[in-house]
Amino acid sequence: MGLGRDEMDKSVSEDFLRLKQQVVQFIEQDLEPVHLQVEESAEIPEHLVDKMRRLGLFGLSIPRDYGGLGLTTLEEILIYEEITKTNACFRSRIGTSNGIGSMGILYDGTEEQKRRYLPRVASGEWTAAFALTEPDAGSDAANISTQAVLDGDSWVLNGTKQFITNADTAQFFTTIAVTDETKGASGGVTAFIVERDAPGFVVGPADVKMGLKGSHTHELVFKDCRVPAENVIGGMARVGQGFKTAMRVLDKGRLSMGACAVGAAQKVLDLCVERVQRELASGMAKADLQAEMFALADMATQLYAARQMLYSTAIKKDEGRNVTQEASMTKIFCTEMASRIAGLAMDSFGEEGILTRSRIEIFLRDVRLYRIYEGTSEIQRIIVSRNLLKNSRSRA
Ligand SMILES: Cc1cc2nc3c(=O)[nH]c(=O)nc-3n(C[C@H](O)[C@H](O)[C@H](O)COP(=O)(O)OP(=O)(O)OC[C@H]3O[C@@H](n4cnc5c(N)ncnc54)[C@H](O)[C@@H]3O)c2cc1C
């Protein structure tokens, strides 16, 4: 089976194609016209968030039983690919909530937790966030030091998280904390649901970032923060299992990052093609545009390869296969490809590209961040190489 975009459309349902059509229309009519305004104000207008709710975008991958659209991984990334052709923060607003913010509950939560949180996330009434990173534990997530201690019928959390996306709008946070220092990541880390109004929980000011301006990250401070004992994701039986939950959530997040990179790269390529067409229309000879034409060919070739990786990994995941290694390879390749393409586009556009808030300049900044969050490129390389060594040992 071919894995180009058109062929892919043939392997999804009619219902999904109708949804995708609506999303494309929403992007063209509502999001694209305000992409620069959102970049400048660093805010998404509330009426657009409302429209996202009405389209069901906050529940893309949440099962229908919990009020979501129940899309497959492949379908979900096809939607993300479209949305990231405009301002990247639109995808972040929905994707973090529907993705890393709430997937831990979907994967490992109790039925009661699923019933309380997932329908509210799916409808967009509540936003979810994911709190793992700390000042001294980013890549080395097993090194987190936020502590949770059971005291009567509540857990008491102390510590600081940083760079937490959607912290300004989230009603609850999937929070990863240490419950047994002696066991570390294997058995000593637990995933909690911390609601915004938990006593002792404070959201700090927004970070000032180079990109993804309309998607805000914040510090979180837990100071003797009390959450009910039943807020352990999966209940008391899963105390100590939170690192596994976090890693499973990130496997999926890595494919979403790949989709964002592919969508952005496609838009950059489209802009470059339009530019060369304009030059030709204005009378320039093809021979004089050879450098630009070769750049187009290189961009299209890299994008094609990235898209095949992304789609085939999503299909494998939908078949229930373990894609830890493939998800990491996809994240490395797609996000680094998007940076290369944005760089080539900057060369082609020259002065027009370097202007602050030109389309290419915005993409160049935004796609750079994809290489950092949900695990940096270096960390993905460590995951891939460890897997290779493990598998070759098990074959020996
Ligand atoms: C826009 C954005 C949104 C984010 N949203 C969230 C969120 O919602 N929730 C959340 O929990 N976190 C979030 N993060 C945090 C993100 O996951 C971390 O920034 C990332 O994991 C890297 O951690 P760090 O920044 O502490 O860098 P560090 O871990 O300090 O790494 C610094 C550099 O050293 C390299 N490095 C580290 N260890 C090794 C090693 N062993 N071998 C080789 N190189 C290494 C890294 O690759 C990197 O280049 C977000 C970050 C960004 C930029």
Side-chain angles (χ1 to χ4, degrees):
M1 178 178 62
L3 290 173
R5 277 179 301 162
D6 298 340
E7 288 90 341
M8 196 48 53
D9 278 356
K10 290 177 203 144
S11 67
V12 293
S13 69
E14 287 292 317
D15 276 357
F16 173 73
L17 288 179
R18 266 192 296 278
L19 169 75
K20 192 174 148 202
Q21 189 50 43
Q22 285 178 327
V23 172
V24 169
Q25 212 172 42
F26 171 55
I27 293 165
E28 285 169 0
Q29 290 175 1
D30 298 277
L31 301 187
E32 190 59 12
V34 297
H35 82 91
L36 192 55
Q37 175 199 322
V38 167
E39 181 68 19
E40 283 168 350
S41 65
E43 293 294 342
I44 305 175
E46 200 46 39
H47 74 275
L48 293 179
V49 178
D50 267 342
K51 198 152 181 191
M52 291 174 182
R53 291 187 180 107
R54 289 200 295 280
L55 281 167
L57 298 182
F58 283 95
L60 292 176
S61 60
I62 293 178
R64 286 172 184 270
D65 281 355
Y66 301 107
L69 296 179
L71 300 190
T72 63
T73 307
L74 175 65
E75 291 169 338
E76 188 184 5
I77 62 167
L78 289 170
I79 296 289
Y80 288 158
E81 194 184 321
E82 293 303 325
I83 295 183
T84 40
K85 288 178 190 164
T86 178
N87 194 302
C89 72
F90 296 127
R91 200 287 322 176
S92 186
R93 182 74 174 79
I94 56 171
T96 306
S97 185
N98 172 77
I100 56 174
S102 58
M103 281 300 110
I105 296 177
L106 178 65
Y107 293 150
D108 293 326
T110 62
E111 193 51 37
E112 211 180 329
Q113 289 167 345
K114 291 179 192 179
R115 298 262 161 230
R116 172 168 170 76
Y117 294 98
L118 298 180
R120 291 179 166 98
V121 172
S123 68
E125 179 194 349
W126 282 6
T127 297
F130 177 74
L132 172 65
T133 305
E134 298 183 359
D136 293 319
S139 299
D140 187 7
N143 198 33
I144 56 168
S145 61
T146 294
Q147 296 277 341
V149 177
L150 189 59
D151 179 33
D153 58 3
S154 47
W155 289 89
V156 181
L157 275 72
N158 278 289
T160 302
K161 299 286 181 182
Q162 69 176 11
F163 302 136
I164 309 306
T165 302
N166 280 354
D168 48 344
T169 50
Q171 271 75 23
F172 70 92
F173 299 76
T174 293
T175 304
I176 313 298
V178 177
T179 43
D180 186 342
E181 252 178 292
T182 62
K183 292 186 179 154
S186 50
V189 169
T190 301
F192 295 90
I193 303 165
V194 177
E195 294 199 6
R196 191 177 194 88
D197 58 2
F201 174 67
V202 177
V203 176
D207 300 315
V208 180
K209 308 189 298 313
M210 66 176 269
L212 280 168
K213 298 281 191 190
S215 166
H216 308 150
T217 59
H218 295 249
E219 182 181 78
L220 310 179
V221 179
F222 302 82
K223 196 155 182 258
D224 293 328
C225 168
R226 280 191 176 262
V227 299
E230 63 266 23
N231 280 24
V232 170
I233 292 185
M236 293 304 275
R238 283 197 63 86
V239 169
Q241 303 302 309
F243 200 72
K244 283 189 200 152
T245 300
M247 292 304 114
R248 205 168 155 212
V249 163
L250 290 174
D251 263 4
K252 172 132 188 262
R254 284 164 189 160
L255 286 186
S256 302
M257 285 299 100
C260 295
V262 164
Q266 180 67 57
K267 181 69 184 188
V268 170
L269 173 60
D270 292 346
L271 292 169
C272 291
V273 170
E274 283 166 21
R275 183 171 187 279
V276 172
Q277 280 167 338
R278 277 198 306 274
E279 301 278 11
L280 289 173
S282 72
M284 272 190 86
K286 276 194 182 134
D288 293 332
L289 287 168
Q290 197 181 47
E292 281 85 350
M293 309 266 272
F294 279 11
L296 292 185
D298 284 343
M299 290 182 203
T301 306
Q302 293 177 40
L303 179 56
Y304 184 69
R307 188 174 271 125
Q308 311 312 304
M309 278 181 93
L310 177 66
Y311 292 173
S312 62
T313 305
I315 290 169
K316 268 191 180 177
K317 183 164 172 46
D318 286 331
E319 288 168 352
R321 293 154 74 182
N322 181 321
V323 294
T324 297
Q325 180 172 330
E326 288 87 341
S328 288
M329 293 192 297
T330 301
K331 183 172 188 278
I332 298 171
F333 193 80
C334 293
T335 59
E336 293 186 358
M337 172 279 305
S339 274
R340 278 194 304 274
I341 287 189
L344 284 170
M346 185 62 90
D347 292 338
S348 295
F349 271 74
E351 277 179 9
E352 208 187 318
I354 61 161
L355 290 176
T356 300
R357 298 203 183 104
S358 78
R359 211 70 206 272
I360 301 299
E361 187 260 358
I362 295 171
F363 275 115
L364 190 77
R365 285 188 280 106
D366 285 350
V367 298
R368 183 63 184 86
L369 300 195
Y370 295 151
R371 285 158 55 186
I372 297 174
Y373 66 129
E374 313 218 355
T376 63
S377 287
E378 290 75 22
I379 295 310
Q380 307 310 322
R381 287 187 166 90
I382 290 174
I383 295 171
V384 173
S385 55
R386 275 195 194 138
N387 259 282
L388 289 172
L389 295 176
K390 192 173 86 190
N391 292 340
S392 100
R393 258 203 310 275
S394 60
R395 274 199 300 272

